[in-house]
Amino acid sequence: MALQFQLTKQFISSIEKLIAAFADDKDALEFMDAKVAWDHKTKVETIYRLYSHSDVVKEVNAKEYESVHSAETHEGKSSITPFGTSPKPAGIPSTRRHEDIDDEDE
């Protein structure tokens, strides 16, 4: 089976280099997304290009990655946390814990 998809990486102001080749486009896109996410997280300015033969199938700039994917990752997620987030003025006792309430019933 021939490796139809080639993934390249280009640092800003540098030459483009082949980093991987794949037979399946899904594998190539998963690998590309992982690499782009890591470079975005570590603030490395790179451009990834996925080629099918000599045609560019997808091009992603790691610097702009979050703006493209932030709506997908935060959509539908709750911001509820198990920790109290409201500030309390000085002199106000902290909220009673569930265990304290159970002890009073005994």
Side-chain angles (χ1 to χ4, degrees):
M1 181 176 264
L3 299 176
Q4 176 182 347
F5 298 93
Q6 294 83 30
L7 181 63
T8 64
K9 179 178 186 175
Q10 179 180 8
F11 292 98
I12 304 303
S13 302
S14 181
I15 61 170
E16 185 175 17
K17 293 183 181 181
L18 177 68
I19 60 169
F22 300 89
D24 184 40
D25 64 331
K26 291 178 185 176
D27 292 338
L29 289 170
E30 280 184 33
F31 185 78
M32 181 180 188
D33 285 341
K35 297 293 278 179
V36 171
W38 179 255
D39 282 358
H40 176 76
K41 183 177 181 180
T42 57
K43 299 185 183 338
V44 176
E45 293 187 24
T46 54
I47 298 171
Y48 287 89
R49 290 182 189 91
L50 181 63
Y51 291 92
S52 175
H53 301 290
S54 62
D55 299 325
V56 176
V57 175
K58 185 174 181 181
E59 180 177 297
V60 180
N61 185 336
K63 186 177 180 179
E64 299 167 358
Y65 179 75
E66 187 174 45
S67 63
V68 173
H69 295 281
S70 63
E72 295 173 8
T73 55
H74 297 307
E75 188 175 296
K77 299 227 177 176
S78 175
S79 62
I80 297 173
T81 66
F83 307 107
T85 56
S86 61
K88 304 243 186 277
I92 303 272
S94 62
T95 308
R96 295 175 59 179
R97 293 176 43 204
H98 181 68
E99 297 146 5
D100 297 337
I101 295 171
D102 287 343
D103 290 342
E104 287 182 358
D105 292 340
E106 294 177 3

